[in-house]
């Protein structure tokens, strides 16, 4: 893509993002065929809840991203695929996966620390809640993409809009701990994008070629609650695949 002497380079056609979203979706259909009790036990065993992490089951920080409580709706699945696919095309599969994993694991640990530090302790219902899904990694990737938009004005608007849209559920009554997790994941993604963890800095690696400039966007070598809008649709919400009933 070229505009006024500038070229933004994208990598090869994404493969990891479609593979991940497809595996998650197929897994959701498979687990949905299990008896209710067996399905609940399986999801709880892979949840990043307080009970699992307090018991030393740290592997759930990774495996929880492979499960969702129910199949992803078409709109949410498309938004997830578009976001992860864009990140993979811009930064490469390795860096995109790193941003997703850092946001997913980092937000999970921050939520865990916050619940452990809660005055009066963490209620048993919250400590054992089913908490699986891709939304923390999704939010982190969205934040990193917003923070690497080349145009300063658009970048500031995108980052500000996302932060405000995810801060609103945190301050309202009836919030859940996953609301805080989504905001934390988004903030982590913004930091990763702004500090160059994606390999793109602020989305621009500029070098002079004759009279023009070439912009390399950093392509590398290399069901919490409802309604998340993808990068093209803004951020109407971010809580499609994580479902929790416990109010913080």
């Amino acid at each position: 893509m070229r505009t006024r002497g500038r070229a933004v380079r994208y990598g090869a056609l994404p493969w990891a993002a479609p593979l991940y979203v497809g595996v998650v979706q197929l897994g959701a259909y498979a687990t949905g065929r299990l008896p209710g009790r067996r399905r609940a036990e399986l999801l709880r065993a892979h949840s990043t809840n307080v009970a699992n992490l307090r018991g030393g089951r740290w592997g759930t920080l990774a495996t929880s991203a492979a499960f969702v409580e129910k199949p992803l709706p078409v709109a949410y699945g498309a938004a997830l695929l578009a976001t992860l696919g864009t990140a993979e095309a811009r930064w490469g599969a390795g860096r995109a996966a790193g941003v997703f994993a850092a946001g997913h694991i980092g937000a999970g640990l921050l939520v865990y620390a916050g619940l452990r530090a809660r005055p009066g302790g963490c209620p048993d219902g919250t400590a054992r809640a089913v908490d699986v899904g891709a939304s923390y990694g999704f939010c982190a990737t969205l934040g990193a993409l917003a923070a690497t938009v080349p145009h300063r004005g658009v970048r500031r608007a995108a980052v500000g809009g996302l932060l405000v849209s995810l801060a609103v559920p945190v301050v309202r009554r009836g919030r859940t701990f996953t609301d805080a997790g989504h905001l934390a994941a988004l903030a982590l993604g913004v930091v990763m994008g702004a500090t160059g963890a994606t390999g793109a800095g602020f989305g621009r690696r500029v070098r002079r070629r004759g009279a023009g400039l070439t912009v390399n966007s950093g392509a590398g070598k290399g069901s919490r609650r409802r309604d998340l809008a993808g990068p093209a649709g803004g951020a109407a919400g971010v809580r499609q695949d994580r479902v929790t009933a416990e109010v913080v």
Side-chain angles (χ1 to χ4, degrees), residues 49-187:
N49 56 32
V50 172
N52 279 337
L53 297 180
R54 187 169 52 196
R57 292 181 285 277
W58 300 103
T60 59
L61 287 167
T63 61
S64 58
F67 293 87
V68 290
E69 293 201 62
K70 56 182 65 176
L72 303 175
V74 173
Y76 179 83
L80 177 62
L81 179 59
T83 301
L84 301 187
T86 300
E88 183 180 348
R90 291 186 62 186
W91 312 325
R95 282 183 172 142
V99 169
F100 182 95
H104 178 79
I105 294 172
L109 289 173
L110 288 172
V111 169
Y112 170 64
L115 291 173
R116 288 294 303 271
R118 183 178 179 178
C122 181
D124 187 65
T126 299
R128 301 183 180 280
V130 172
D131 187 25
V132 295
S135 62
Y136 287 172
F138 190 173
C139 291
T141 305
L142 270 177
L145 284 172
T148 54
V149 172
H151 190 281
R152 180 180 298 177
V154 177
R155 181 170 68 243
R156 289 177 175 175
V159 170
L162 286 169
L163 288 172
V164 169
S165 68
L166 294 191
V168 170
V170 175
V171 298
R172 72 184 180 188
R173 299 184 66 179
R175 63 186 178 273
T176 69
F177 63 83
T178 57
D179 292 326
H182 293 135
L183 181 59
L186 178 69

Side-chain angles (χ1 to χ4, degrees), residues 15-43:
W15 60 269
L19 177 62
Y20 169 70
V21 175
V23 167
V24 168
Q25 189 74 316
L26 289 174
Y29 284 116
T31 57
R33 298 178 66 87
L34 295 174
R37 183 174 179 180
R38 174 69 184 115
R39 177 175 168 275
E41 290 174 350
L42 176 66
L43 294 177

